[in-house]
Each structure stands twice: as C-alpha cells, then as structure tokens.
C-alpha cells in the first residue's frame, strides 16, 4: 500500500528536506504551503502522517490540527508539529488537541526519520 | 546535508529576503498595516527556523532577535520607529551577505555582524526603559484593528486631467491601505478611455481596511478641490473576502455595464450575514478582472533555474542556425516535399524561438525594490525628501538586459538625488513642493523598451556645460551647438560640471560608464533637461539580444545583415543615377532623405553594380537610405558577439553564421547614422578650429 504523508510548511526548502528524506524511504509526500492547502489532501484518501509547521499564513498548524481532528477518518492520524523553540506557550494553548509529537526546528534530518517511524507504527 | 538542498535553501532565502525588503519599504510608508507587520514577522520566523537547519546558525541568531522585536510590534508592544526600520534594513542587507559567507570569513562581514548585534541589543535595552510609558496608547491602537468596508468614487475635473494628473499613483496609495477591489468598468460608455489609460481619470473602488475614514480622505488631499470624491462606509465588516459580495458586484457590472452603489446597498445585510465564510484573498482581484469565477488551477507556475533557460536559449540558437541551413539546402535541391518540410520547420522554429524568448523575459519590477531602497537610503542620508514613483514596471525585458541596466539606473537615480534635486530650503524658496518626485517609467515602443527617469530638480544648465567644454578645449568659444548636442558632452569620460565631490555619487562622473554599459546591450541613452524644471534620462533598449529577424544583403562579395525592424522601404536605383545626386539626397514620393554609400564607408575597393538598392531606415524621425548591391532575402539569424579585436567597430553589432558556413556581419543601422552624423559634427568643428588658428 502507498504510504502518503502530508507536509505543510510555508518555506519551500524545509518541505524539500522532508520530502527528499521520506521519498528515499518509499513514501509519497504531498506538499502544502499552508494549512488551507494541506487540508485539501484530507479528502477521504489514505494519509498516514501529517507533518506541519506551526506558524503559517492563512491557516496555522493548530487550526489545521483542529480541522483534521473534526474529520472522523483522521481522528487518530499521527500529527507531528514542527516548531521553533520559543513556542512552548503555544503548546499550552492547544493542550486539548491530540498532537503526537513536537519537533523543534532546527532538527537533525538523520534523526528525523526515526521519530517518524515510531509515529507511523 | 545534501549540497543541492543547501543551494535550494539559499535560493529560497534570497527570495524571502527580497520579499521582506519590499514589504519593509511599503510598511515604512503605511505603518499601521497589520498584514504587512505580520508578514515581516513571519519572514523573520521562517528564516530563523530554516537557516539553522541548513547550517546558517548565524542567520538564525540574528533573525531570532528580530523576530522577537517584530513579535512585540505585532502585539502593539513596540512602535515601528525610524530607528527600527534602519536597523531591520541593515540586518536584511547583512543576511544577504551571510548567505554567501556563513562563517563570517570576511572581516568586513564580521565587523558588520558585531555592530548589528550591538545595535539590536541597544535597541532592546532602550525599549525596556521606555516600555512602561506606552501601555495606554496600546489600547487605543487595538480599537482600530477592525476591518471595515468602504466605497470610494473618484472623478477628477477635466482641468485636473488636462494638467497631466494621473490617478494611478493615488489609486496605488489607496490600495495600500488594505484589500481593494477596483470596480471601474472599462466598458462604461461614460468613460471614453479604454485599456490601461482609463486609470488616468476616474475610478470606483471597494476598500476593506482597518484605517479610519480620515486616513482614506487624507489620500485625496492634493486633489480634493478639483475633483468629486465620494467615500461611503458600506459595512462595519470586511465584505471583500465574502464571495457573495464579489458575485453581486460582478452581476451588477454585467447587468448595468457599471457599478451603481445604490444597486448594491440593498444586498449588504444579506452579505454581512455570510461574513464568517471567507474566501482566499488573493484570487478575488484576478477573478473580477477576468470575469472568471472558476477556482484557479492548483499549479500555475514552476520554478526553473536560469541556467536551464540559458541552455535552452543556446539550443534554440543552434536550431535556428540549422534551420537556416536546411532552408538554403531545400532551395538548391528544389524538391517540393523537402521545401514543404523546410518551411514547416522554419515556422515551428520561429514559434519555438518566440516562446523561449518570452520565457526568459522578466518584468522590470523585480528590480524595483533595489531602486526604492536606494532612493530611500540616499535621500535619507542627504536629508532630502524624495519619493520614487513608478509607471509601467510590469514591462518585460530579457533577463540579461535587466541584469545590465540595474546598475546604470541606480547610477542615474543617485545622480538625480545628489546633484539634480535641491535641498528642501532651496526648493521651498523657488516655490517647489518640499518633497520632490522621481518618476521611473517604462513602456514598449515598437521593437524597443523605453525607460525614462525624470526628476523635478534644478536641471542642468547648458551654459555651464558649454563653458566646461570650451575650457576642456572640446569646442570653440563660438561653436554653434544645439542644446541636445551640448548635453551629449555629459557622456564623455571625465566630463564633470560639479566641483564638490560627495560620497554619494562622487563628482557626478560616470555618465560615460552609464552610456557604455547601455551600449553594451545595444541600448541608447539620452539626456533632456530644463533649468529649474528637472532632468530626464531616456534609455532605449532592444527587447532581446540574441536572435533577430534580419535582411540578408550583399555588398561586393561580403554578406551583411540588417535587422528587419529598422527597415522602412527598399528602392532600386541605377548606380549612375545615384552618383548624380549632388548633395547625397534622394527625393521620392514626397519624402526626401539623404543616403549613405556603404561601399565608401566600409572602404570596399570593388566597383558598384549597375543596379543598386537603397534600404531606407528610420531613426529619430530622420529617414536615411543605405546603399547596397543586392538583396538576398529575409533571414532569421543568431547574433554572435564579435571578438575583442572588433569591439570598437560600433556600426557592426555582431556576426552571424549563415547556413552555408559563411559569416555575415550584422549592421547596427542606427549606429551607422549616428556615426556619420557625429563625424559630420566633428568635421565642422575641425574646420572652425583651423579658421581660428589661421
């Protein structure tokens, strides 16, 4: 079965890094520039992981997570939030939301995949 | 990490920084714009997160502190002061350097970096001290945040338009206040002008902004006495992002041919009820312009590295050359099938060429930020109030040409600001507005693009230049020269009329460099100036450099090519008849023109044939005929630059390899004319000199 991952980040080169890392492992990576674009991928098709930046224009990571959790099919889809270190307080803001992991930018690409692997299982 | 990924990052970062700089420059003039502030914040934020990931930790550090500052600005805890702009722009420049030098290997960068760090630290320290005083104001600011929707109708009086008033700038200023929707209908019969020119008169606009009505009214300050201005609050909410609202406006335009606001008012309550169903802001404007409401296709553009485009250009050049060879071959073989095929390939390669050519075009506005920045920085340094207005910057040019003209334009702007525009005191004394204006205007003119840079400064006094020219022994004291001939001296190396050297533009030297740089891309530059009214520099550029449609001709045994777009007409004359014209002028069908005997000019020694052709070309409203032996035909050709030995041969713009392997020289017809004209002037001057010495 195809393993499809959505990456939402407004910075293209971050998306590139994620995409290239995951493509090497046989994933299909769907890119989105912001939350609104990412949400379009959640149309009922199989998605095994969402990796999303926290701060994005139009719809940020938290808003995106809220929307996705509303959808029955994606209630338990793992969500991995990318953030910069100073955003701790934002975590509290969405404490009620099920976010599976937080990764602080800058992150180490080589270690990145290990985290993802545990999430997908 | 993968080198390719890092390169990717550098490109993205550069783009983001360019965007950031542009945003900052707009924000500086509309400091309450929340959207722009959060854009700046987000740019800092993205840069911070990403740069550290790609090993640019030092950029990460710097953007981190800036992000903090703009986070405060965003939350109304910090004012956007001039000092902050200065600091941020300096940081932006520095970050650009850091992308090339991430380890601070360059000593200058290191120094800069330390200074910036101190600057930011001091800024934050000062901030803490003054913060306790600013809390009260914050609350007030917060009340202004709400976006309301206004209807604006603007109709200038006839006189105002006749005075040359263009509402384009005004419109731009208003659009900067928020999100806007231009609803002036170009088919409105009450407005005679069509096309982009309709912007020169009245407009109707829907504006969603968080600014109050006074701020909107202020924009009309200079025209309010001479125009009808109607500003109406449509709604306490932002309607522009509600699809239904846009729909209703479109329907009204379709139904009535224009937007009558009374027709829209009844719908407002209905629309307001929909206010929590926003649509994406960016698509609105486009949709209304095209009358097309289908959602935009998901991928509208891809990014390709410029190397790939250059490579494609090269391949097309090769293709065009091979195709020419094929055409020649098919002519000699005379096989109908082959001819058909050759013609087909010619058509296709021409279309392909045009296509590739368009891909490599870049709008001038890409460089606009650099110009705005220069005007801002230099005028600030000199304490002059100057705004740079632009028109037609969407005009597209070959990217190589753009790369070549940025520096000359920067130089011209610098000259204008430093030498052209007076200081505030002098301006007020001579009855001019304190703020001066530089207009940068670009437009197409036939096969060329014209860029005009015009200031309203003190102008150039031709007498001064004349005196200088006499002093430098370039002309005689009684030489009879026209004003434009005098201004031409400014382009001579080392010719300067300013005595004071400033650190902005030196002695104002460098117009010779400007001219040379522009000539390198087959462009021309001209200065017009009026004392007290200002100076205008006009740059004329070709659309492209490498491929031209030409006319292949022969003089003696040598092949030459003329660019087709320069040719007006071709005549046939008997050689005897031509040499009988005494004053080198031919009169035909009500136009007379002088002609140039290219055989003599090129010093070819063979005899002219009995029947000669005259190619009539037009230049600056003068028609000039050029004598050639034989016309071979139309020829699509790739212009190859000449080697260093021939660099000074300015009447030849390059060479081209013909299908049969022979070389043809490509004439620059305009240069031939100015060459001849110039040598005429100098001949006259020499004669004058002799008379005096005798």
């Amino acid at each position: 079965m195809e393993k499809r991952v959505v990456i939402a980040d407004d910075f293209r080169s971050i998306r590139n890094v994620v995409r290239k890392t995951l493509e090497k492992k046989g994933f299909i990576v769907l890119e989105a520039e912001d939350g609104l674009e990412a949400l379009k991928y959640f149309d009922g098709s199989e998605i095994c992981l969402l990796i999303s930046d926290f701060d994005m224009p139009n719809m940020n990571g938290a808003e995106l997570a809220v929307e996705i959790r509303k959808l029955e099919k994606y209630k338990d889809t793992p969500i991995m939030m990318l953030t910069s270190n100073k955003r701790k307080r934002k975590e509290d803001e969405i404490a009620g939301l099920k976010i599976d992991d937080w990764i602080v930018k800058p992150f180490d690409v080589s270690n990145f995949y290990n985290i993802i692997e545990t999430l997908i299982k | 990490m993968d080198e390719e990924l890092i390169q990717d990052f550098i490109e993205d970062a550069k783009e983001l920084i360019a965007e950031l700089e542009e945003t900052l420059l707009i924000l500086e003039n509309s400091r309450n714009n929340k959207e722009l502030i959060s854009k700046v914040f987000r740019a800092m934020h993205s840069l911070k997160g990403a740069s550290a990931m790609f090993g640019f930790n030092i950029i990460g550090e710097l953007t981190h502190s800036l992000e903090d500052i703009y986070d405060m600005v965003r939350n109304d805890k910090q004012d956007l002061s001039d000092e902050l702009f200065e600091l941020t722009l300096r940081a932006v420049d520095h970050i650009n350097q850091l992308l090339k030098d991430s380890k601070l290997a360059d000593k200058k960068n290191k120094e800069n970096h330390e200074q910036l760090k101190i600057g930011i630290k001091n800024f934050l320290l000062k901030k803490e001290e003054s913060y306790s005083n600013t809390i009260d104001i914050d609350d007030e600011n917060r009340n202004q945040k709400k976006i309301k929707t206004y209807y604006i109708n603007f109709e200038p009086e006839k006189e105002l338009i006749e005075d040359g008033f263009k509402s384009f700038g005004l419109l731009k200023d208003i659009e900067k206040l928020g999100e806007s929707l231009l609803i002036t209908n170009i088919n409105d019969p009450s407005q005679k002008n069509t096309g982009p020119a309709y912007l020169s008169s009245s407009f109707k606009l829907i504006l969603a902004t968080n600014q109050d009505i006074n701020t909107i009214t202020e924009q009309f300050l200079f025209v309010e006495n001479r125009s009808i201005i109607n500003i109406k609050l449509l709604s306490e909410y932002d309607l522009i992002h509600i699809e239904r609202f846009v729909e209703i406006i479109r329907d009204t335009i379709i139904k009535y041919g224009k937007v009558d606001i009374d027709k829209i008012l009844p719908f407002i309550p209905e629309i307001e009820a929909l206010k929590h169903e926003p649509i994406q802001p960016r698509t609105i404007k486009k949709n209304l312009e095209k009358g097309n409401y289908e959602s935009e296709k998901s991928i509208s553009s891809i990014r390709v590295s410029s190397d790939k485009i250059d490579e494609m250009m090269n391949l097309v050049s090769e293709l065009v050359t091979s195709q020419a060879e094929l055409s020649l071959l098919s002519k000699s073989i005379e096989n109908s099938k082959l001819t058909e095929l050759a013609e087909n390939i010619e058509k296709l390669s021409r279309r392909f060429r045009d296509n590739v050519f368009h891909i490599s075009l870049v709008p001038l506005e890409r460089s606009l930020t650099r110009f705005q920045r220069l005007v801002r920085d230099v005028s600030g340094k000199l304490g002059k109030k100057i705004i740079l207005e632009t028109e037609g910057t969407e005009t597209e040019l070959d990217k190589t040409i753009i790369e070549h003209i940025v520096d000359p334009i920067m130089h011209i702007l610098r000259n204008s600001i430093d030498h052209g525009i007076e200081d505030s005191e002098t301006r007020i004394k001579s009855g001019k507005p304190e703020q001066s204006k530089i207009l940068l205007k670009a437009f197409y003119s036939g096969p060329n693009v014209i860029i005009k840079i015009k200031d309203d400064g003190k102008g150039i006094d031709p007498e001064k230049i004349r005196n200088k020219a006499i002093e430098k022994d370039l002309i005689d004291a009684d030489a009879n020269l026209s004003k434009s001939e005098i201004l031409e001296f400014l382009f001579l190396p080392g010719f300067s009329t300013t005595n004071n050297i400033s650190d902005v533009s030196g002695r104002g030297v460098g117009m010779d460099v400007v001219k040379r740089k522009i000539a390198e891309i087959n462009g021309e530059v001209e200065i017009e100036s009026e004392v007290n009214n200002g100076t205008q520099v006009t740059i004329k550029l070709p659309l492209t450099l490498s491929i031209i449609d030409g006319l292949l001709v022969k003089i003696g045994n040598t092949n030459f090519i003329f660019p087709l777009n320069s040719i007006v007409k071709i005549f046939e004359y008997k050689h005897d008849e031509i040499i009988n014209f005494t004053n080198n002028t031919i009169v035909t069908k009500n136009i007379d023109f002088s002609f140039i005997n290219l055989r003599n000019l090129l010093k070819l020694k063979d005899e002219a044939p009995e029947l000669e052709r005259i190619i009539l070309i037009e230049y600056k409203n003068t028609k000039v005929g050029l004598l050639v032996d034989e016309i071979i035909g139309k020829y699509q050709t790739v212009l190859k630059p000449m080697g260093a030995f021939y660099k000074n041969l300015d009447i030849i713009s390059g060479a081209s390899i013909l299908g049969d392997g022979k070389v043809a020289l490509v004439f620059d017809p305009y240069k031939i004319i100015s060459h001849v004209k110039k040598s005429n002037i100098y001949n006259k001057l020499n004669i004058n000199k002799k008379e005096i010495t005798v």
Side-chain angles (χ1 to χ4, degrees):
Chain A
M1 194 190 69
E2 285 180 347
K3 289 180 287 181
R4 287 151 51 99
V5 173
V6 173
I7 163 78
D9 194 312
D10 54 341
F11 209 66
R12 191 183 63 123
S13 14
I14 298 270
R15 296 201 304 272
N16 270 352
V17 173
V18 173
R19 182 168 51 79
K20 293 212 169 142
T21 315
L22 292 184
E23 274 176 357
K24 274 186 207 147
K25 304 284 181 184
F27 286 89
I28 291 177
V29 182
L30 308 166
E31 293 182 44
E33 273 183 37
D34 59 37
L36 272 182
E37 243 182 62
L39 195 56
K40 284 185 197 154
Y41 291 120
F42 292 82
D43 54 356
S45 48
E46 286 308 324
I47 285 165
C48 65
L49 172 68
L50 165 70
I51 304 169
S52 173
D53 186 25
F54 192 91
D55 275 286
M56 288 182 294
N58 298 330
M59 181 189 274
N60 71 21
E63 288 163 338
L64 173 63
V66 171
E67 290 303 314
I68 286 170
R69 291 296 183 231
K70 276 186 198 162
L71 304 166
E72 185 59 32
K73 190 175 165 90
Y74 306 108
K75 237 174 43 205
D76 297 314
T77 306
I79 297 180
M80 179 164 140
M81 202 70 83
L82 304 176
T83 178
S84 351
N85 41 5
K86 284 238 325 185
R87 302 285 138 210
K88 223 26 186 172
R89 64 189 164 89
K90 291 261 169 80
E91 285 182 44
D92 303 333
E93 280 172 32
I94 49 166
L97 208 63
K98 197 184 152 238
I99 302 291
D100 299 83
D101 207 341
W102 290 82
I103 290 206
V104 176
K105 279 195 240 176
F107 54 84
D108 180 4
V109 183
S110 50
N111 194 25
F112 180 62
Y113 181 68
N114 298 336
I115 303 169
I116 289 178
E117 221 171 16
T118 53
L119 278 182
I120 292 174
K121 276 166 191 163
Chain B
M1 192 183 293
D2 207 330
E3 185 58 35
E4 199 183 316
L5 288 173
I6 293 177
Q7 277 310 320
D8 258 10
F9 162 73
I10 293 179
E11 246 179 63
D12 281 354
K14 273 188 190 158
E15 203 172 278
L16 190 67
I17 292 166
E19 216 178 283
L20 174 64
E21 193 179 357
E22 194 186 339
T23 313
L24 282 167
L25 290 174
I26 303 172
L27 182 63
E28 194 174 19
N29 294 318
S30 55
R31 299 193 185 188
N32 289 326
N33 193 323
K34 286 280 160 189
E35 204 180 305
L36 295 179
I37 293 171
S38 61
K39 212 172 155 190
V40 172
F41 169 79
R42 246 198 335 269
M44 296 295 183
H45 182 72
S46 301
L47 269 177
K48 183 191 77 177
S51 52
M53 273 199 60
F54 295 92
F56 291 83
N57 297 21
I58 209 155
I59 297 183
E61 263 172 49
L62 201 64
T63 40
H64 192 146
S65 352
L66 289 168
E67 182 200 2
D68 287 348
I69 296 177
Y70 278 91
D71 192 29
M72 292 191 281
V73 174
R74 197 165 65 144
N75 295 313
D76 295 323
K77 286 181 188 154
Q78 165 68 48
D79 281 340
L80 275 171
S81 59
D82 288 350
E83 190 193 350
L84 181 55
F85 274 108
E86 205 55 52
L87 196 66
T88 319
L89 284 169
R90 257 175 62 205
V92 166
D93 290 347
H94 184 56
I95 294 169
N96 254 327
Q97 290 301 317
L98 290 180
L99 285 173
K100 288 178 226 151
D101 179 15
S102 65
K103 299 273 179 300
L104 288 176
D106 188 327
K107 212 176 136 207
K108 219 173 109 200
N109 286 341
K110 194 168 172 69
E111 253 170 51
N112 236 332
H113 192 73
E114 292 308 319
Q115 274 177 8
L116 255 177
K117 262 166 62 180
I118 295 169
I120 292 174
K121 207 171 137 197
N122 286 344
F123 183 83
L124 286 168
L125 277 177
K126 243 190 275 171
K127 153 101 204 75
E128 267 165 34
E129 284 165 22
S130 64
Y131 177 52
S132 51
N133 305 325
T134 60
I135 297 171
D136 296 345
I137 308 164
D138 286 347
D139 280 345
E140 244 169 66
N141 282 345
R142 225 161 263 145
N143 290 335
Q144 294 178 357
K145 268 196 222 163
K146 216 177 134 198
I147 295 179
K148 297 176 180 178
T149 307
Y150 298 89
Y151 164 77
I152 300 168
N153 181 23
F154 172 73
E155 287 171 36
E157 277 170 15
K158 221 174 125 207
E159 275 171 50
L160 192 58
I161 300 172
E162 281 166 2
D163 280 358
F165 169 79
K166 296 242 160 60
S167 59
F168 190 61
L170 180 65
L171 191 58
K172 268 193 167 169
D173 287 341
I174 293 168
E175 285 178 335
K176 273 183 207 154
L177 296 178
E179 194 84 38
S180 64
L181 203 55
L182 190 63
I183 53 176
T184 311
N185 186 3
I186 47 173
N187 297 323
D188 187 343
S190 67
Q191 295 187 357
K192 277 180 205 146
N193 305 330
T194 52
Y198 75 96
L199 287 175
S200 66
S201 52
S202 39
F203 60 78
K204 288 176 186 170
L205 185 92
I206 305 282
L207 177 71
T209 176
N210 55 1
Q211 309 282 323
D212 58 9
I213 200 156
N214 289 336
T215 317
I216 305 173
T217 319
E218 271 169 24
Q219 309 296 323
F220 295 96
L221 197 64
F222 295 109
V223 290
E224 62 185 356
N225 295 328
R226 300 163 77 191
S227 50
I228 302 167
I229 300 158
N230 244 323
I231 303 172
K232 208 176 208 167
L233 179 69
L234 278 187
S235 164
E236 294 283 341
Y237 303 101
D238 174 5
L239 300 185
I240 247 173
H241 291 149
I242 299 174
E243 198 160 0
R244 179 80 186 122
F245 178 64
V246 183
E247 258 174 40
I248 287 172
I249 289 183
R250 185 201 49 174
D251 291 347
T252 326
I253 292 179
I254 292 171
K255 210 162 157 195
Y256 302 101
K258 60 179 175 181
V259 175
D260 192 342
I261 204 63
D262 295 333
K263 300 268 187 325
I264 295 197
L265 284 174
F267 292 102
I268 300 288
E270 175 198 331
I271 299 165
E272 282 177 349
L274 296 167
K275 64 178 177 293
H276 41 262
E277 289 173 32
I279 55 169
Q280 270 183 292
R282 269 193 210 147
T283 56
I284 311 171
K285 228 183 197 167
K286 274 191 194 149
N287 285 348
L288 197 76
E289 275 162 12
K290 289 176 189 160
N292 171 13
Y293 280 77
E294 280 162 44
S295 64
E296 277 183 293
K297 298 227 167 65
S298 51
I299 298 173
S300 53
S301 66
I302 54 159
R303 303 197 331 171
V304 183
S305 80
S306 53
D307 289 351
K308 285 185 185 162
I309 290 178
D310 288 345
E311 170 70 14
M312 194 148 83
M313 269 301 225
N314 275 335
L315 287 174
V316 170
S317 301
E318 303 283 329
L319 177 70
V320 168
T321 311
S322 294
Q323 173 268 312
E325 197 172 340
L326 179 67
S327 294
L328 273 181
L329 184 72
S330 82
K331 262 177 209 151
S332 66
I333 292 179
E334 283 181 43
N335 174 316
S336 66
K337 273 217 166 128
L338 181 65
T339 311
E340 200 187 319
L341 188 65
E343 277 170 6
N344 236 330
I345 287 181
E346 186 181 344
K347 250 185 253 162
L348 281 173
S349 60
R350 176 170 298 134
R351 277 173 60 189
F352 186 36
R353 178 201 73 176
D354 288 349
N355 245 312
V356 174
F357 167 54
H358 274 283
I359 290 174
S360 65
L361 291 183
V362 179
L364 188 63
E365 61 200 354
R366 292 274 173 87
S367 318
L368 209 59
T369 313
R370 289 183 63 187
F371 303 149
Q372 292 284 11
R373 182 71 196 278
L374 177 90
V375 172
R376 177 199 175 276
D377 288 357
V378 176
S379 62
K381 210 169 179 180
L382 298 169
K384 296 179 182 178
K385 286 189 181 160
I386 303 171
I387 49 163
L388 175 66
E389 278 187 8
T390 55
E391 258 176 54
T393 47
E394 69 281 0
T395 308
E396 291 182 319
L397 277 160
D398 192 294
K399 76 177 172 48
T400 348
I401 295 181
I402 296 250
E403 279 160 16
H404 266 82
I405 53 158
V406 170
D407 283 342
I409 292 180
M410 300 270 274
H411 196 90
I412 293 164
L413 286 172
R414 223 178 273 132
N415 269 339
S416 247
I417 302 167
D418 199 13
H419 303 299
I421 289 164
E422 317 87 330
D423 54 47
S424 299
E425 208 181 316
T426 320
R427 285 185 69 88
I428 294 167
K429 256 187 212 158
S430 52
K432 287 184 183 179
E434 187 187 353
Q435 186 180 56
S436 64
K437 194 174 87 179
I438 301 179
L439 177 69
L440 184 123
K441 185 176 167 186
F443 55 92
Y444 296 102
S445 164
N448 297 296
V449 167
I450 312 281
I451 300 174
K452 282 182 192 266
I453 299 147
K454 191 177 168 192
D455 67 46
D456 59 357
K458 61 172 182 263
I460 301 167
D461 186 355
E463 269 312 298
K464 266 195 189 167
I465 295 171
R466 205 193 145 86
N467 292 339
K468 195 88 181 180
I470 295 168
E471 193 185 297
K472 290 197 177 242
D473 213 17
L474 292 163
I475 50 166
D476 292 314
D478 58 350
N480 184 17
L481 296 178
S482 71
K483 194 171 154 190
S484 63
E485 278 167 340
I486 291 174
L487 289 175
E488 275 284 308
F489 284 118
L490 291 171
F491 292 117
L492 291 178
F495 194 94
S496 166
T497 55
T498 346
N499 295 320
N500 58 324
I501 306 168
S502 74
D503 60 344
V504 173
S505 58
R507 268 175 193 274
V509 287
M511 284 311 279
D512 59 317
V513 184
V514 167
K515 189 180 176 124
R516 205 181 59 225
K517 280 239 164 192
I518 290 171
E520 270 170 21
I521 44 172
N522 300 333
E524 289 161 38
V525 58
E526 208 180 76
I527 296 185
E528 290 157 76
S529 186
E530 240 171 88
V531 176
N532 280 331
N533 276 337
T535 304
Q536 170 170 307
V537 181
T538 306
I539 303 170
K540 186 172 162 192
L541 298 163
L543 271 176
T544 183
L545 292 174
S546 43
I547 306 179
I548 51 170
D549 272 319
L551 185 75
L552 187 60
V553 304
K554 255 188 166 166
I555 304 172
N557 283 322
T558 320
N559 292 309
F560 293 95
I561 291 170
F562 282 97
L564 209 52
N565 56 35
S566 62
I567 297 170
V568 183
K569 254 188 185 141
I570 300 169
F571 302 93
E572 221 168 57
Y573 272 93
K574 286 213 174 97
H575 183 70
D576 298 351
E577 284 178 39
I578 294 167
I579 50 167
N580 283 340
F581 288 97
T582 43
N583 55 354
N584 270 15
T585 306
I586 289 177
V587 184
T588 164
K589 283 183 189 162
N590 303 329
I591 35 166
D592 55 332
F593 53 88
S594 50
F595 69 88
I596 296 164
N597 192 335
L598 287 176
R599 176 171 269 103
N600 292 349
L601 186 71
L602 297 164
K603 303 193 172 86
L604 299 178
K605 294 206 174 82
D606 56 345
E607 288 285 308
E610 199 175 305
L611 208 60
E612 284 193 293
R613 273 87 180 169
I614 297 175
I615 297 175
L616 182 62
I617 60 174
E618 195 171 347
Y619 177 64
K620 282 189 188 167
N621 301 324
T622 3
K623 293 196 170 72
V624 176
L626 300 168
L627 241 54
V628 303
D629 292 0
E630 200 186 329
I631 307 261
I632 295 168
K634 263 195 344 193
Y635 193 78
Q636 206 183 76
T637 182
V638 183
L639 192 65
K640 304 260 183 202
M642 302 280 274
F645 284 128
Y646 304 96
K647 231 169 125 183
N648 295 327
L649 251 182
D650 67 348
I651 61 167
I652 306 282
S653 55
S656 174
I657 299 160
L658 300 179
D660 57 6
K662 276 190 191 142
V663 172
L665 296 173
V666 181
F667 272 124
D668 185 333
Y670 305 138
K671 291 275 171 58
I672 297 179
I673 296 172
S674 47
H675 180 81
V676 170
K677 268 191 172 173
K678 222 188 270 169
S679 50
N680 279 347
I681 292 174
Y682 281 109
N683 283 342
K684 269 184 219 156
L685 292 175
N686 285 338
I687 293 164
N688 277 344
K689 227 172 215 170
K690 264 181 208 155
E691 280 169 358
I692 288 164
T693 43
V694 164

